Amino acid sequence: MGIFSRLRKNQNYSLKKADFKTEKEEYQSEVTFISEDFKKSLAEWKKKEGIADIKNETGKIISIANHTDVDILRNKVRVQYDPTELEIDEGLFITKLNEKLDWISRNENEINSAITEKLLPLKNEDWIEENETIISKKEFVKRIKLTFILVFDDTSLELVYDDGDLFWKHQIVVDLNKENKITDVDISG
């Protein structure tokens, strides 16, 4: 490993609030009840609790996301969070987010090991196509690519990887808790 690869892995991120763009998406929502009995019991509960009953069970939902693109693990990756869910100062949250990005850049091998430990056997046992050879750990890691990081209000993360067509274009999702412990690895989509 040369000096330049060590420097690249120890990148220090210093994102600021101004680096993020805000996107708002508005859409209509409609409440669908599982059963009429549930609808009736909900109305009774609302009445008992003094909650005004809404005649029209539709409404406008506004989704807000702050996002930016960063270079991490040799990829351009979208980093996103919902500012309306934050329970701490946004500046402090972004400082913690920078620490998370630093951790990811320093721990690529640990993350890749967790992914391959769980998903390489799945690929080679259940997702192998006819006339396809067993894939090695090295080839597996070479094909996956981090594309998206969703940051939750407690600074836990969801890392989303392009699967390199290993799982027929499903995404690979790695969950990290706020202490940077990998809690789950799976495919979705």
Side-chain angles (χ1 to χ4, degrees):
M1 177 184 291
I3 187 168
F4 294 109
S5 60
R6 279 197 305 268
L7 290 174
R8 182 180 64 228
K9 286 188 175 205
N10 292 321
Q11 185 168 353
N12 290 318
Y13 291 90
S14 57
L15 296 171
K16 296 173 182 50
K17 186 175 178 179
D19 295 322
F20 289 86
K21 296 177 184 133
T22 301
E23 285 186 5
K24 294 180 182 180
E25 182 179 342
E26 294 183 22
Y27 52 94
Q28 287 295 115
S29 171
E30 183 175 323
V31 174
T32 304
F33 291 100
I34 298 169
S35 71
E36 284 300 315
D37 289 339
F38 177 77
K39 184 176 181 178
K40 186 190 293 185
S41 65
L42 179 62
E44 290 170 4
W45 176 83
K46 285 181 179 180
K47 185 176 180 180
K48 178 181 166 193
E49 295 295 318
I51 299 171
D53 194 25
I54 301 170
K55 299 293 180 206
N56 181 357
E57 296 291 343
T58 64
K60 185 188 296 187
I61 295 177
I62 300 173
S63 172
I64 299 174
N66 284 359
H67 64 86
T68 191
D69 293 332
V70 298
D71 290 319
I72 187 168
L73 306 182
R74 297 163 306 283
N75 301 314
K76 182 75 72 182
V77 176
R78 168 74 46 109
V79 177
Q80 181 174 305
Y81 67 94
D82 181 342
T84 65
E85 293 184 359
L86 300 182
E87 295 183 12
I88 62 172
D89 174 72
E90 193 166 5
L92 177 59
F93 174 81
I94 293 172
T95 298
K96 290 181 177 196
L97 184 144
N98 285 321
E99 293 169 3
K100 293 289 188 172
L101 296 175
D102 291 340
W103 186 89
I104 293 166
S105 70
R106 288 189 314 272
N107 291 279
E108 177 182 15
N109 290 337
E110 180 182 337
I111 297 166
N112 287 342
S113 290
I115 295 170
T116 56
E117 182 179 315
K118 174 136 187 219
L119 298 182
L120 182 59
L122 180 67
K123 166 63 181 168
N124 285 331
E125 292 167 14
D126 298 331
W127 288 79
I128 199 100
E129 295 186 44
E130 191 175 322
N131 298 324
E132 184 180 15
T133 59
I134 300 288
I135 190 165
S136 69
K137 181 177 181 177
K138 184 177 179 180
E139 179 64 24
F140 187 95
V141 169
K142 185 177 167 183
R143 288 175 64 178
I144 64 174
K145 177 181 169 186
L146 181 62
T147 59
F148 184 77
I149 300 172
L150 180 59
V151 187
F152 297 99
D153 64 318
D154 66 350
T155 68
S156 59
L157 305 172
E158 187 173 89
L159 309 178
V160 180
Y161 288 76
D162 180 293
D163 75 336
D165 204 23
L166 293 165
F167 299 101
W168 306 336
K169 300 289 184 194
H170 286 71
Q171 296 173 323
I172 295 171
V173 179
V174 179
D175 294 325
L176 289 167
N177 68 15
K178 63 183 181 178
E179 289 85 24
N180 298 328
K181 181 177 183 278
I182 298 170
T183 58
D184 194 27
V185 176
D186 215 337
I187 56 174
S188 72

